[in-house]
Amino acid sequence: MSLPLPPQDVLSLLKKGVVIPAHPLALDKNRNMNERRQRALTRYYLDSGARGMAVGVHTTQFEIRDPEIGLYKPVLELASEEIDGYCDKQNQLVVKIAGLAGKTDQAVGEAKTAVECGYHTGLLSLAAFKNANNDELIEHCKAVAEIIPLTGFYLQPAVGGRVLDSDFWRAFAQIENVVAIKIAPFNRYQTLDVLRGVAESGRAKDIAVYTGNDDNIVSDLLTTLEFPGDNGKIKIDIVGGLLGHWAVWTKRVVEIFNDVQTVKASEEGIPASLLTLGAQITDCNSAFFDVKNNFAGVITGIHQVLKRQGLLEGIWTLNPDEGLSPGQLEEIDRVYKMYPHLNDDDFVKENLDRWLL
């Protein structure tokens, strides 16, 4: 049985590299989904120039899957509808990625929902398999791959992920409809494990590698990795990003991403100013993601920036115990003042009323 694949134009766009924000969840004060602002967020990302969208992922809050909440399918449907309308009107292509989680029965069910909602690939979290060995993990991945093309996901342990070695990534990359991998362990050594596994899989040319390392975005995008192969060096580029950090200041993200792609393609050397910019972005991420408190306020930090811009009404999450950590608001204020060239407040102000219609 042949495994499902995305359309060729989607594969080509993924391999070229695009900006993919991890879509947040807009709630009202009663912690119900605010459809008007949820749609506004999607419109913001599309008008900013993002050519991919990840929905139902960590930034969207894993609690959307709880039976008493039941927001997984509605959230996917809403984003897909907005994306399809935009693509039809603008004659654009946008890659739709659905987050998949849980043990095999749950992940397969979510994959079927994602396919029904028109998503091209599933970002497969393995957080539910804390103690499984590689063979068990690959068996799970293959079961989900029968339903939807896969994007691998190395989620950092600090927010619920687990360590995955290069042997796993080699075997995972050999699944014929693995089309991309998001690397997000926030760890240089583990990032190299993924890339080495892809290089050794024999499918390096078939798989689009995306950074999810919000602490090292620009450097990841600028680096070409080289590994020895039977017929010479195997080169792997991290072609784009799928990032929670890119859920804010997205217009500037797209502009910086385009600059990075231009510099890398020129092969004329990397200007020091771009590396400086990368360090500034990492500093902003430390505030948004609440690094000082081991990422406790990661989702509410993103919400705080979106609230400040008027895209969200509040920073509410489905978990009432979540909020900004002590000192996190001051950190966000600090990076706002230090790096005004990184925000897109003016762009949001100019378009907010239109997005909220």
Side-chain angles (χ1 to χ4, degrees):
M1 183 184 72
S2 60
L3 297 176
L5 284 169
Q8 188 57 52
D9 55 354
V10 171
L11 284 172
S12 297
L13 186 59
L14 266 175
K15 290 178 184 178
K16 176 185 175 184
V18 292
V19 167
I20 306 177
H23 203 305
L25 178 65
L27 299 177
D28 62 23
K29 62 182 180 181
N30 296 315
R31 303 185 193 275
N32 297 315
M33 183 171 67
N34 185 326
E35 180 177 330
R36 176 171 172 250
R37 291 186 179 271
Q38 189 72 11
R39 290 184 184 275
L41 282 176
T42 308
R43 294 166 184 168
Y44 161 54
Y45 300 132
L46 293 169
D47 283 352
S48 294
R51 291 297 168 258
M53 204 84 67
V55 187
V57 294
H58 175 254
T59 308
T60 325
Q61 302 176 47
F62 288 133
E63 290 88 350
I64 60 174
R65 296 164 167 83
D66 293 349
E68 64 272 20
I69 293 173
L71 282 177
Y72 181 75
K73 186 174 182 179
V75 165
L76 262 62
E77 285 179 327
L78 209 62
S80 187
E81 180 183 318
E82 284 294 329
I83 292 168
D84 289 348
Y86 176 88
C87 291
D88 290 343
K89 186 176 180 179
Q90 301 293 333
N91 194 27
Q92 286 278 3
L93 179 64
V94 175
V95 180
K96 294 188 285 188
I97 301 175
L100 310 176
K103 291 296 182 71
T104 303
D105 286 349
Q106 178 182 335
V108 166
E110 291 183 4
K112 291 177 179 178
T113 298
V115 171
E116 290 173 9
C117 293
Y119 284 75
H120 301 120
T121 175
L123 182 71
L124 185 59
S125 169
L126 299 175
F129 292 84
K130 295 294 186 186
N131 300 309
N133 61 38
N134 284 351
D135 289 341
E136 293 167 331
L137 292 173
I138 294 299
E139 182 180 358
H140 167 72
C141 294
K142 287 181 175 178
V144 182
E146 292 181 5
I147 310 300
I148 193 170
L150 295 184
T151 293
F153 185 17
Y154 201 158
L155 176 66
Q156 62 159 323
V159 291
R162 55 159 289 171
V163 174
L164 299 162
D165 61 24
S166 61
D167 290 338
F168 165 78
W169 290 109
R170 184 191 310 112
F172 177 79
Q174 288 171 338
I175 299 172
E176 66 186 67
N177 67 339
V178 169
V179 296
I181 296 175
K182 169 184 172 172
I183 308 175
F186 288 38
N187 180 295
R188 295 294 88 206
Y189 305 109
Q190 292 167 353
T191 294
L192 288 171
D193 282 342
V194 181
L195 295 165
R196 181 160 60 89
V198 172
E200 294 173 353
S201 73
R203 296 194 66 238
K205 293 182 179 180
D206 302 321
I207 296 173
V209 179
Y210 278 69
T211 183
N213 290 319
D214 303 71
D215 64 337
N216 201 62
I217 299 168
V218 172
S219 294
D220 271 357
L221 293 171
L222 286 169
T223 304
T224 296
L225 287 300
E226 292 184 351
F227 300 90
D230 294 337
N231 300 309
K233 292 179 180 178
I234 299 171
K235 294 186 177 183
I236 299 179
D237 291 299
I238 299 176
V239 298
L242 195 171
L243 297 150
H245 183 88
W246 283 359
V248 298
W249 298 355
T250 312
K251 178 67 171 177
R252 285 291 293 128
V253 165
V254 171
E255 293 167 352
I256 294 167
F257 177 73
N258 290 339
D259 289 344
V260 169
Q261 283 195 317
T262 299
V263 166
K264 190 169 183 179
S266 73
E267 298 184 346
E268 294 179 357
I270 298 168
S273 59
L274 201 51
L275 297 177
T276 299
L277 191 68
Q280 294 172 349
I281 291 169
T282 298
D283 194 17
C284 292
N285 182 258
S286 72
F288 302 161
F289 274 27
D290 193 26
V291 174
K292 288 184 177 180
N293 296 285
N294 201 30
F295 304 95
V298 56
I299 291 176
T300 48
I302 293 294
H303 288 189
Q304 177 63 35
V305 179
L306 295 171
K307 176 190 173 187
R308 180 172 181 152
Q309 293 183 309
L311 283 155
L312 293 183
E313 280 186 318
I315 66 169
W316 306 292
T317 63
L318 293 170
N319 179 353
D321 294 329
E322 286 190 26
L324 294 176
S325 294
Q328 189 180 3
L329 181 59
E330 289 78 8
E331 278 293 286
I332 293 172
D333 288 341
R334 175 184 68 81
V335 298
Y336 241 104
K337 292 175 183 177
M338 288 183 68
Y339 311 117
H341 54 288
L342 293 179
N343 76 60
D344 64 355
D345 288 13
D346 289 342
F347 172 71
V348 174
K349 184 177 180 180
E350 290 168 6
N351 293 281
L352 184 59
D353 289 344
R354 179 170 58 85
W355 296 331
L356 285 169
L357 285 177

